[in-house]
Amino acid sequence: MDNVSNNPALTAQWGLSIYIEYQGRRYLLDAGAGPEFAENAKVLGIDLSQVDCGILSHAHHDHADGMDTFFQENAGAPFYLREPSGENCYGCKDDFLEYIGIKKGLLETYQNRICRTGDKTELAPGVYLLGHTTPELDCCGQMHQQFLKIADQFMYDDFRHEQSLIFDTDQGLVIFNSCCHAGADVVIQEAQAAFPGRKVHAIVGGFHLFAMPADQVRTFAHRLEETGVEHVVTGHCTGQDAFEILRETLGNRVRQMEVGLEMEF
């Protein structure tokens, strides 16, 4: 699932879901904003019942609202959420706070399928989940106008519920981070710190640039270039205008994500 589809047989929506195969195991990263990701999977010949584990990148509805559909399609695979993930995420729209989190009650209904992860969790040889370690990320919540409700108080989101899915390949690390609220450059730097000596071959995901002014996107693009990442595949919350600016700086290292896109690293 992604915002963009160039195939009339595949549905697009504001959401993200990525199916990954690695060393004989099958992974599902996020479940879109509803059951449509499962319909696309059928068209693409992907059997969700055979997925070995699911991962939620962060606790927002456009990545989590298809989780119950996955649990209905798959009888036993665990779904990994960052330890602090809850049903408590809000966004500001037209000066009002609106709920943008996981479906209320889902975490309790499917508690036997949900596993909680720490700062660095190894799912299988070469497969890791990495939570944010950069301090004071609530500045990003302030920039995006996103909030956590904790003990009846609203605070800027510090994205304690966000995690990267990382695969170690012969070419280097391949990072999946679905929205990169902290910045894709920060996500890459955290991976480099967690895996000393390993280069970052690719980063895949949305970059949450769709509302960012063009000059700030250009500054970000240069920071991303300085990380040395070799391939960038981005869509969802990046935005078309921001994507074109990224192409100006990074050239053919940047590729547009879309529903049905197949990649091999």
Side-chain angles (χ1 to χ4, degrees):
M1 180 57 68
D2 184 61
N3 302 28
V4 177
S5 175
N6 291 315
N7 184 336
L10 298 171
T11 300
Q13 66 180 191
W14 183 275
L16 194 65
S17 181
I18 303 175
Y19 170 79
I20 305 160
E21 295 182 356
Y22 177 86
Q23 294 186 355
R25 289 176 59 84
R26 302 170 180 87
Y27 301 84
L28 184 76
L29 175 64
D30 294 340
E36 292 82 3
F37 85 98
E39 297 167 8
N40 285 343
K42 290 183 174 67
V43 174
L44 293 166
I46 295 169
D47 185 355
L48 293 176
S49 72
Q50 298 302 304
V51 169
D52 293 291
C53 74
I55 298 99
L56 185 66
S57 63
H58 63 290
H60 287 173
H61 67 95
D62 48 336
H63 302 262
D65 274 5
M67 284 175 62
D68 51 354
T69 298
F70 175 76
F71 292 136
Q72 293 160 19
E73 296 274 345
N74 184 297
F79 220 97
Y80 290 87
L81 280 66
R82 189 88 162 86
E83 177 61 45
S85 297
E87 299 167 359
N88 63 339
C89 293
Y90 290 78
C92 187
K93 183 178 181 181
D94 300 325
D95 295 325
F96 290 95
L97 288 177
E98 63 176 358
Y99 184 68
I100 60 170
I102 299 169
K103 285 180 184 177
K104 295 286 189 177
L106 185 142
L107 296 181
E108 181 178 359
T109 300
Y110 295 102
Q111 58 184 307
N112 64 320
R113 301 287 299 276
I114 290 170
C115 298
R116 299 289 184 162
T117 62
D119 289 342
K120 184 178 180 181
T121 302
E122 186 175 13
L123 297 183
V127 185
Y128 302 87
L129 291 173
L130 188 67
H132 287 308
T133 53
T134 302
E136 299 180 356
L137 289 180
D138 54 347
C139 65
C140 300
Q142 183 175 9
M143 178 177 64
H144 299 309
Q145 284 297 285
Q146 293 180 335
F147 301 83
L148 296 176
K149 186 178 182 181
I150 299 177
D152 294 325
Q153 298 291 321
F154 288 95
M155 56 179 284
Y156 287 121
D157 198 338
D158 59 2
F159 301 102
R160 62 185 68 183
H161 54 91
E162 187 171 66
Q163 58 187 347
S164 297
L165 173 61
I166 301 176
F167 296 88
D168 195 358
T169 76
D170 291 340
Q171 292 79 26
L173 302 177
V174 177
I175 304 171
F176 291 80
N177 188 300
S178 297
C179 278
C180 294
H181 291 96
D185 55 324
V186 171
V187 169
I188 290 172
Q189 290 162 7
E190 289 175 340
Q192 290 170 330
F195 300 92
R198 297 294 290 145
K199 71 174 182 178
V200 176
H201 180 60
I203 186 167
V204 181
F207 291 170
H208 216 274
L209 304 175
F210 68 95
M212 185 176 287
D215 59 334
Q216 294 183 30
V217 176
R218 289 191 177 90
T219 299
F220 162 79
H222 288 295
R223 294 201 308 269
L224 188 59
E225 183 180 36
E226 289 170 0
T227 67
V229 63
E230 296 174 331
H231 296 282
V232 175
V233 184
T234 189
H236 180 45
C237 55
T238 296
Q240 189 59 41
D241 291 344
F243 179 85
E244 296 301 332
I245 294 172
L246 292 176
R247 285 294 297 269
E248 291 174 9
T249 301
L250 296 167
N252 291 332
R253 278 183 283 175
V254 181
R255 184 173 183 178
Q256 175 69 54
M257 194 157 52
E258 63 184 46
V259 182
L261 173 66
E262 295 185 12
M263 302 170 284
E264 184 172 351
F265 296 105

